[in-house]
Amino acid sequence: MFFGIFALILVGLSWTAVGVVMGLAPKKNTDPGLIQLCGALVSITASLVIINCMPDKILALSEICWVFAAYASSGFLNSIMLVLMSRAMQRGPNGIIWTIIQSAMIFPFLMGIVIFGVEPKLIRFSGLLLILVSLAVFGIFKDNTVKDKKWKMLTFIAFAMTGVILSLAALPSYFAAGRNISPILRTMFTASGVFSGSLLVILVSQREINIISNLKSRYLWIFVAVLQGFGLIFAYLFLYPGLDALAANGIGSASHPLLIGSCVAGFFIYSAFILREKICWQQYIGIFCCILGIVFICC
């Protein structure tokens, strides 16, 4: 169990790299959808190479099919959700939109308790509430200029999709059959979904993207290298083993609050000490609530 907690906190901190890249990409005229597409190709290729070098493991076709469906659907929907979130943020209050969408972690938390019998400890609910308070504080004190009323519907759809995405990603770890499948294979399943979703997004919006120019840009490949350098290692060694460990020990519902809370803390540190953004006292209260919430979730 302690390995699972440590692993997911580490993965959540590593997700700070995603925020950094997605923040820098528009400034370097690099399309986030192409970053996802190329990154997924790298992930699929690397996973295939590693799997072919490993000893064969006999798996039932039924196990592979439903686990593939869960992870690929999660990756596919995530690619589309990111586009909706981006469009919502172009129209409405970025901080509030980000908070609402991240709050969808309550879906896998409740799924673990209601469906899979995770013990509903009061202290864990308190931890979840503290992380939600932290998200709300960071959301309120970001740029919340309203530009277009359409942001509400886009945000609601992205919120609902994120709940489904997180629940699908957590689902296989609750079953022995799912935990029996290699993290490398599961990473490839997710990347397959991301590739399909990103390709669909690019095909639909290709008039808005200069694909050739993007592919020639060194920044595209730097961003892909950074994300996959972190992503593959952490997925193989920590993400899926961590999800499995918590689910097997009866606290699978804590997985995504741990991931989100750690990511929030990591990005706060990056913003404060690397970007040197001005931090108000309310945000210090927010990070305190976040860290305390992580501690409570682990109890």
Side-chain angles (χ1 to χ4, degrees):
M1 182 177 76
F2 293 108
F3 165 76
I5 292 170
F6 169 77
L8 294 187
I9 289 176
L10 204 59
V11 172
L13 290 172
S14 78
W15 282 358
T16 303
V18 178
V20 173
V21 166
M22 292 306 170
L24 288 175
K27 298 176 184 178
K28 302 299 181 181
N29 297 316
T30 307
D31 182 68
L34 274 173
I35 295 174
Q36 288 193 82
L37 182 73
C38 295
L41 275 174
V42 170
S43 180
I44 291 168
T45 303
S47 298
L48 282 171
V49 169
I50 295 170
I51 288 169
N52 285 328
C53 295
M54 294 173 64
D56 291 336
K57 186 176 182 179
I58 299 174
L59 297 169
L61 182 61
S62 58
E63 290 180 8
I64 294 177
C65 286
W66 81 262
V67 173
F68 172 80
Y71 287 125
S73 298
S74 175
F76 180 85
L77 291 173
N78 191 60
S79 300
I80 297 172
M81 184 280 295
L82 289 174
V83 173
L84 293 176
M85 182 174 71
S86 175
R87 290 183 178 176
M89 286 181 167
Q90 291 169 21
R91 293 172 168 83
N94 286 9
I96 292 173
I97 291 167
W98 182 81
T99 298
I100 291 171
I101 293 172
Q102 295 303 317
S103 298
M105 66 179 175
I106 196 169
F107 285 88
F109 182 85
L110 293 176
M111 179 183 76
I113 292 170
V114 175
I115 299 177
F116 295 104
V118 174
E119 185 180 357
K121 285 186 176 181
L122 180 60
I123 193 168
R124 289 180 191 154
F125 274 103
S126 300
L128 175 67
L129 180 61
L130 282 168
I131 293 175
L132 291 173
V133 167
S134 172
L135 288 170
V137 169
F138 284 111
I140 291 168
F141 291 96
K142 287 185 179 180
D143 176 16
N144 288 319
T145 305
V146 176
K147 303 168 187 174
D148 187 330
K149 292 181 180 179
K150 292 180 181 178
W151 71 270
K152 293 181 180 179
M153 179 58 70
L154 291 169
T155 302
F156 174 78
I157 295 171
F159 168 77
M161 286 182 69
T162 302
V164 175
I165 290 162
L166 296 179
S167 298
L168 285 170
L171 185 63
S173 293
Y174 283 101
F175 298 90
R179 296 192 295 270
N180 192 41
I181 292 178
S182 164
I184 297 167
L185 202 55
R186 285 189 267 178
T187 300
M188 188 175 71
F189 291 166
T190 302
S192 300
V194 172
F195 176 81
S196 301
S198 300
L199 183 61
L200 176 63
V201 168
I202 289 170
L203 289 174
V204 170
S205 58
Q206 59 180 319
R207 291 181 181 178
E208 304 171 16
I209 304 171
N210 189 331
I211 296 175
I212 301 300
S213 175
N214 268 263
L215 290 174
K216 289 180 178 179
S217 170
R218 65 189 176 96
Y219 289 109
L220 172 68
W221 302 107
I222 289 172
F223 292 149
V224 169
V226 169
L227 290 184
Q228 295 307 312
F230 279 101
L232 289 177
I233 293 171
F234 280 90
Y236 293 161
L237 301 180
F238 299 110
L239 175 59
Y240 296 112
L243 290 171
D244 292 350
L246 291 193
N249 282 278
I251 58 168
S253 63
S255 298
H256 283 89
L258 273 176
L259 287 166
I260 300 297
S262 302
C263 183
V264 170
F267 203 79
F268 175 85
I269 294 169
Y270 169 76
S271 300
F273 296 102
I274 305 299
L275 296 181
R276 297 192 179 278
E277 292 182 352
K278 186 178 179 180
I279 306 297
C280 64
W281 65 268
Q282 292 93 341
Q283 289 174 307
Y284 282 106
I285 292 176
I287 197 64
F288 173 77
C289 290
C290 179
I291 294 170
L292 191 61
I294 291 172
V295 173
F296 283 6
I297 281 283
C298 295
C299 294

